[in-house]
Amino acid sequence: MKTLSAVAALMLAAAVSAAPAHPNGAKLRDTPSEHPAQTAHPLHGNWQVRRIQAAAPAAPLTVSIRADGHFAVSGGCNGLGSSYRISGSRLYLAPAMSTLMACPDEALMQADSQIGRALAKVGRYRIKGRTLYLLDGRGKTLIEAQRQPETE
């Protein structure tokens, strides 16, 4: 089981470092956004997920959006992540890769499934105060998250 988990983790790391294609076939640029990496973007940081499609997540989840153009989700049973690109209020998430560990805690596996399905539909974002809203293409809130304090 540990070997399978290690292989899955290596596959996730390799997939995240490659620039995967967006679902519409367009390759995401190596540049994460229209903002240089050294300029902090309001999306960058850690966000504690409060709601996924209007319901509390099955387990505590954190979305980390990094300046290097990658995002990761932690807190469920499996690690999940990929690359992203920002253009105005548009947020292009490449299809997420996930480790495939079996987890004895059903709530953690359910949280993985909830966040994965919602992330696949994200097309826009909005930030109001310390709250991030990840929206579908029509503006419907898919994920609501609260900014976490920065740690040194």
Side-chain angles (χ1 to χ4, degrees), residues 63-141:
V63 176
S64 299
I65 303 174
R66 303 187 326 233
D68 69 357
H70 291 91
F71 73 92
V73 179
S74 59
C77 183
N78 289 285
L80 185 135
S82 193
S83 61
Y84 71 89
R85 183 172 57 87
I86 303 165
S87 179
S89 65
R90 303 274 310 158
L91 178 60
Y92 301 96
L93 302 178
M97 301 293 174
S98 174
T99 57
L100 299 173
M101 297 186 295
C103 185
D105 187 337
E106 184 62 34
L108 295 178
M109 291 180 64
Q110 184 180 357
D112 289 343
S113 181
Q114 287 175 310
I115 195 87
R117 283 191 309 270
L119 286 170
K121 299 175 187 174
V122 170
R124 297 188 173 280
Y125 76 94
R126 184 177 80 232
I127 298 174
K128 185 175 181 181
R130 298 185 57 78
T131 304
L132 168 65
Y133 300 92
L134 297 178
L135 315 166
D136 67 11
R138 295 181 179 192
K140 178 182 175 188
T141 300

Side-chain angles (χ1 to χ4, degrees), residues 19-58:
H22 188 268
N24 71 6
K27 185 167 175 72
L28 293 179
R29 301 178 315 199
D30 290 335
T31 327
S33 69
E34 59 195 23
H35 306 280
Q38 55 272 39
T39 303
H41 189 279
L43 273 174
H44 297 162
N46 295 322
W47 301 87
Q48 183 70 43
V49 176
R50 299 289 185 217
R51 299 225 175 270
I52 302 172
Q53 296 183 340

